[in-house]
């Protein structure tokens, strides 16, 4: 029994460590804006280049959250999954709020905005799917904590502008 207890403590410590590493990156991730400085860069390659930093931060952050989820710790499974959805949602905002070149015609600007809205919707849908998967798993495994409640709120359309603090009160 003692070894099993020590193992659970180690799992929880690892889950917390990975979760905190991921959440520590979130402010930097959120701060990255999509800026397309010229008409010449308003194409798939230009957008990919302008998105590279955000994509890398998303990958690194998601790696930490995935490790926290894989520990199986119910608290951090819920918290990290919530944050994966939040990161997807933020990526939708990133795409939706693209800063376009100033010299676009009204038609070019409208077309670019329509395209970014369509792309943003894909990320918002991915976030909702992630959150719904968490709620399904929480129901199956009888997980009920603040992160499950936050996920229900997010699915109801209340996605916080500022991410919630981690379990224990730390950001």
């Amino acid at each position: 029994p003692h070894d099993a207890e020590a193992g659970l403590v180690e799992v929880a410590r690892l889950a917390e460590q990975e979760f905190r590493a991921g959440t520590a990156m979130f402010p930097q991730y959120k701060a990255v804006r999509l800026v397309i400085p010229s008409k010449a860069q308003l194409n798939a390659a230009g957008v990919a280049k302008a998105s590279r930093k955000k994509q890398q931060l998303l990958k690194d952050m998601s790696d930490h959250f995935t490790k926290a989820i894989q520990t199986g710790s119910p608290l951090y499974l819920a918290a990290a999954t919530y944050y994966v959805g939040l990161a997807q949602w933020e990526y939708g905002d990133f795409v939706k709020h693209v800063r376009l070149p100033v010299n676009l015609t009204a038609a070019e600007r409208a077309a670019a905005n329509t395209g970014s809205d369509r792309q943003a919707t894909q990320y918002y849908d991915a976030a909702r799917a992630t959150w719904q998967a968490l709620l399904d798993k929480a129901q199956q495994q009888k997980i009920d904590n603040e992160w499950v409640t936050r996920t229900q709120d997010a699915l109801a359309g209340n996605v916080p502008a500022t991410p919630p603090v981690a379990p224990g009160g730390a950001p």
Side-chain angles (χ1 to χ4, degrees), residues 22-160:
T23 57
M25 299 173 77
F26 203 88
Q28 181 186 0
Y29 171 73
K30 191 168 173 64
V32 176
R33 296 284 165 246
L34 181 54
V35 178
I36 309 298
S38 71
K39 274 190 189 188
Q41 292 163 304
L42 192 55
N43 56 41
V47 171
K49 183 175 185 222
S51 302
R52 205 166 287 137
K53 182 177 181 186
K54 186 103 168 175
Q55 287 273 334
Q56 187 60 52
L57 284 166
L58 177 60
K59 182 197 173 306
D60 295 346
M61 209 170 40
S62 295
D63 288 348
H64 287 295
F65 291 139
T66 298
K67 288 175 188 167
I69 292 165
Q70 288 170 341
T71 67
S73 164
L75 177 64
Y76 290 102
L77 180 149
T81 304
Y82 172 84
Y83 256 91
V84 168
L86 196 61
Q88 291 167 317
W89 191 271
E90 167 56 32
Y91 204 90
D93 284 350
F94 168 76
V95 173
K96 184 178 180 67
H97 301 297
V98 59
R99 196 163 341 137
L100 297 166
V102 291
N103 62 339
L104 295 181
T105 66
E108 289 168 331
R109 185 168 301 280
N113 283 327
T114 298
S116 68
D117 286 350
R118 188 173 47 249
Q119 275 193 310
T121 298
Q122 294 172 351
Y123 291 101
Y124 296 145
D125 289 347
R128 285 187 197 99
T130 296
W131 288 330
Q132 187 58 57
L134 170 57
L135 293 184
D136 294 346
K137 188 166 191 89
Q139 189 173 19
Q140 291 163 4
Q141 296 185 4
K142 308 280 186 265
I143 299 170
D144 185 21
N145 59 42
E146 64 192 287
W147 297 98
V148 173
T149 303
R150 287 185 174 121
T151 300
Q152 291 164 334
D153 290 347
L155 274 171
N158 301 315
V159 180

Side-chain angles (χ1 to χ4, degrees), residues 1-6:
H2 181 69
D3 286 350
E5 207 173 286

